Amino acid sequence: SRMHKKTCFTVLCFFTALLFLGSCRQQDLPQQLYSLTFSPAEIQDIEIEAQKIPINIVPSDDTDVHITYSDFIGENKKMDIRMENGVLTISSQSKAYTGNIAIALPTGCALDFNAFNTDFSLQDVSGDISIKTVDGDISAKNIEGSFVLRSGRGNITIADSQGDIAVLGEHGVISLNSLHGDIDSSNVIGTIQFTGQVLEGDAIFLETDHGAVTATLLDSEEAFINLWTANGTVICMLPQVETTNITCKREPTSSVGSFQIKTVWGPIKVTEE
């Protein structure tokens, strides 16, 4: 009836207003910046259970690990950071205030990060670091050392970095720009995009199952090239190569580095700039 519909609409508006007022009231609560310090020796793993709060990883000014974030005060505090048996756990209620969590790591720090829907950004960090997120994005710039960056359904972007670096995905887009060292990247359905120069000592290996791989090589005429696919196609627009529709190879007499791509079903396209 019209009366029933009008009553339901009035009740809905009432509860919507309550939710809005509650949200405004929560944002008006006093907030402050929190800072915690740990010795890297006491941390083995960092488990991120905080819901959808980005993590910014930056270099530390000293030899300690520093964590800073914004939160409400007292009993209204939403974040919970606790250490137990070498595992540092960062969790939150769903409506945590903090815009992001900053984690400053000392040079050469060795740490593993595990998360579900957390986005990570890293810049100017060095060490032995593993970051695994199931449904988040990872961006990294100017990192150096031994790194594992893994995201199941998110995108990964890494630039201007060097070392022993593994970049692993499943469904997202992996973008690699100006990387040097021992670089391994694999994706399943998602794509891999590579841009850069192959320098002396570089060993770059890209692999997908169904995902496409595209690469633009800069000034890499002396690099060893080996591209092949089981069921996809290879388009290889490089000088001095032997190519078919499923392979492309170049073996200089004195190669300075190697660049290889392998797919099962995914198409491969490599050009030179």
Side-chain angles (χ1 to χ4, degrees), residues 37-53:
T37 298
F38 300 92
S39 166
E42 62 183 314
I43 307 175
Q44 297 173 1
D45 301 291
I46 297 182
E47 301 288 334
I48 311 294
E49 297 174 358
Q51 294 299 303
K52 296 184 179 180
I53 300 176

Side-chain angles (χ1 to χ4, degrees), residues 144-156:
E144 182 175 355
S146 179
F147 284 81
V148 175
L149 308 178
R150 179 194 295 271
S151 179
R153 296 189 288 271
N155 301 322
I156 306 175

Side-chain angles (χ1 to χ4, degrees), residues 225-236 242-249 260-270:
I225 303 293
N226 190 24
L227 321 175
W228 74 101
T229 180
N231 302 289
T233 56
V234 172
I235 298 175
C236 184
E242 297 177 5
T243 183
T244 71
N245 62 338
I246 59 170
T247 65
C248 178
K249 198 163 189 177
Q260 302 187 74
I261 300 175
K262 174 187 177 183
T263 72
V264 180
W265 294 93
I268 299 171
K269 183 177 181 179
V270 179

Side-chain angles (χ1 to χ4, degrees), residues 133-172:
T133 181
V134 176
D135 198 21
D137 296 335
I138 301 173
S139 65
K141 187 174 182 180
N142 194 32
I143 63 175
E144 182 175 355
S146 179
F147 284 81
V148 175
L149 308 178
R150 179 194 295 271
S151 179
R153 296 189 288 271
N155 301 322
I156 306 175
T157 302
I158 175 172
D160 304 323
S161 300
Q162 61 183 340
D164 184 354
I165 301 174
V167 185
L168 312 171
E170 294 175 21
H171 298 271

Side-chain angles (χ1 to χ4, degrees), residues 115 130 210 238:
S130 170
H210 280 68
L238 300 176

Side-chain angles (χ1 to χ4, degrees), residues 10-195:
T10 303
V11 171
L12 178 62
C13 289
F14 176 73
F15 278 111
T16 301
L18 282 180
L19 287 172
F20 177 76
L21 289 172
S23 175
C24 291
R25 210 172 281 129
Q26 180 171 331
Q27 294 302 319
D28 290 338
L29 291 172
Q31 300 147 357
Q32 72 177 40
L33 187 68
Y34 291 86
S35 181
L36 301 171
T37 298
F38 300 92
S39 166
E42 62 183 314
I43 307 175
Q44 297 173 1
D45 301 291
I46 297 182
E47 301 288 334
I48 311 294
E49 297 174 358
Q51 294 299 303
K52 296 184 179 180
I53 300 176
I55 303 290
N56 296 336
I57 300 176
V58 296
S60 172
D61 291 333
D62 52 35
T63 58
D64 289 323
V65 175
H66 301 279
I67 301 176
T68 56
Y69 61 98
S70 297
D71 199 357
F72 301 111
I73 296 174
E75 63 182 15
N76 296 307
K77 198 168 185 289
K78 303 294 184 181
M79 297 294 299
D80 180 30
I81 300 179
R82 60 190 182 276
M83 172 77 76
E84 187 174 348
N85 298 324
V87 177
L88 181 67
T89 303
I90 300 175
S91 60
S92 71
Q93 297 183 30
S94 58
K95 293 184 181 300
Y97 165 72
T98 185
N100 58 59
I101 300 169
I103 302 180
L105 302 181
T107 301
C109 189
L111 274 179
D112 292 341
F113 292 81
N114 293 284
F116 179 71
N117 58 6
T118 300
D119 293 341
F120 288 87
S121 67
L122 303 85
Q123 186 159 351
D124 305 323
V125 177
S126 66
D128 183 355
I129 296 171
S130 170
I131 294 179
K132 299 174 184 176
T133 181
V134 176
D135 198 21
D137 296 335
I138 301 173
S139 65
K141 187 174 182 180
N142 194 32
I143 63 175
E144 182 175 355
S146 179
F147 284 81
V148 175
L149 308 178
R150 179 194 295 271
S151 179
R153 296 189 288 271
N155 301 322
I156 306 175
T157 302
I158 175 172
D160 304 323
S161 300
Q162 61 183 340
D164 184 354
I165 301 174
V167 185
L168 312 171
E170 294 175 21
H171 298 271
V173 176
I174 294 177
S175 299
L176 313 171
N177 187 10
S178 297
L179 305 184
H180 298 290
D182 190 353
I183 310 298
D184 289 287
S185 183
S186 69
N187 215 340
V188 182
I189 298 173
T191 62
I192 298 177
Q193 302 166 352
F194 179 94
T195 302

